[in-house]
Amino acid sequence: MSKFKIEDFLAYEHEHHGLEAVMRLQSVKRWHMIETIRTQTLAEHSANVAMLAALIAHTAPIEYFSSPGDISIMALVHDMPEAFTGDIPSHSKRHISGIDSLEKSVMPKQLARIAPAPSDNDAVLLKLCDLADGIRFIRIQGLDGTAVHAQEGLESQLTAKRMEMNALGWPEHVRSHVMLHVLFYAYEAH
């Protein structure tokens, strides 16, 4: 397999510092395989995840996560490689050899540098917020049986992440705080 280079994915030859990726976020559509009432872009999704994660980190009963600012930046860039690869459903990613290498290669280094590496706790929080935004969007905007199937898959992943919180030894009051916000966001119910 040949080594991927971000230059192979750029529309503008002189662009190496990430501006093209930022510009593309507003154009890359999520859920392209599911019929929805409206389109969600990577920019909208990333902003939603960033705001939810920052709110949860800021209001957590103890300092358990990185600062809300750092969490926001991590969330804003969490899907940045998809500005170049397009939105690849997670069930497909599992079967694509080399996808991790591709995503690392197309992540603009300047954008990767501004986002601190997430701790294990931060990574779980970001994934929970990512899943909550997916559930919310598909629940409200999905139109067909494929959307129902996608929501069920996201809910299954959410359950697995809840178990990961337990395995990491999160205190009960932190788990409760996080899940209250995540579930309310996803379902608008307690």
Side-chain angles (χ1 to χ4, degrees), residues 34 44 62 119 129:
I34 298 171
E44 176 187 353
I62 59 174
S119 67
C129 294

Side-chain angles (χ1 to χ4, degrees), residues 104-170:
K104 280 183 181 165
S105 297
V106 299
M107 177 66 171
K109 289 175 184 30
Q110 288 75 4
L111 293 174
R113 279 190 222 124
I114 66 169
S119 67
D120 289 344
N121 292 334
D122 292 342
V124 171
L125 175 61
L126 291 170
K127 189 60 181 180
L128 287 165
C129 294
D130 180 57
L131 293 167
D133 188 61
I135 291 167
R136 179 181 178 83
F137 185 82
I138 289 300
R139 181 180 63 78
I140 295 170
Q141 307 296 335
L143 287 175
D144 59 7
T146 305
V148 171
H149 179 70
Q151 182 177 333
E152 290 168 351
L154 293 169
E155 290 167 343
S156 177
Q157 291 179 55
L158 186 68
T159 299
K161 280 295 162 191
R162 287 177 87 165
M163 295 172 103
E164 193 171 335
M165 286 190 299
N166 296 339
L168 287 171
W170 287 22

Side-chain angles (χ1 to χ4, degrees), residues 8-84:
D8 298 334
F9 294 85
L10 296 172
Y12 304 100
E13 282 187 37
H14 65 282
E15 170 55 40
H16 294 286
H17 52 78
L19 189 56
E20 184 175 340
V22 173
M23 292 168 19
R24 286 181 179 207
L25 282 180
Q26 63 191 338
S27 299
V28 177
K29 293 162 185 56
R30 291 174 43 86
W31 311 110
H32 58 87
M33 296 173 62
I34 298 171
E35 192 172 350
T36 58
I37 295 168
R38 69 173 186 84
T39 299
Q40 184 183 44
T41 66
L42 279 181
E44 176 187 353
H45 168 67
S46 296
N48 291 344
V49 173
M51 293 299 294
L52 180 59
L55 175 69
I56 291 170
H58 178 70
T59 59
I62 59 174
E63 288 186 21
Y64 204 73
F65 306 104
S66 294
S67 73
D70 285 347
I71 286 281
S72 293
I73 292 171
M74 290 177 219
L76 287 171
V77 301
H78 84 281
D79 278 342
M80 190 62 71
E82 292 182 7
F84 298 101

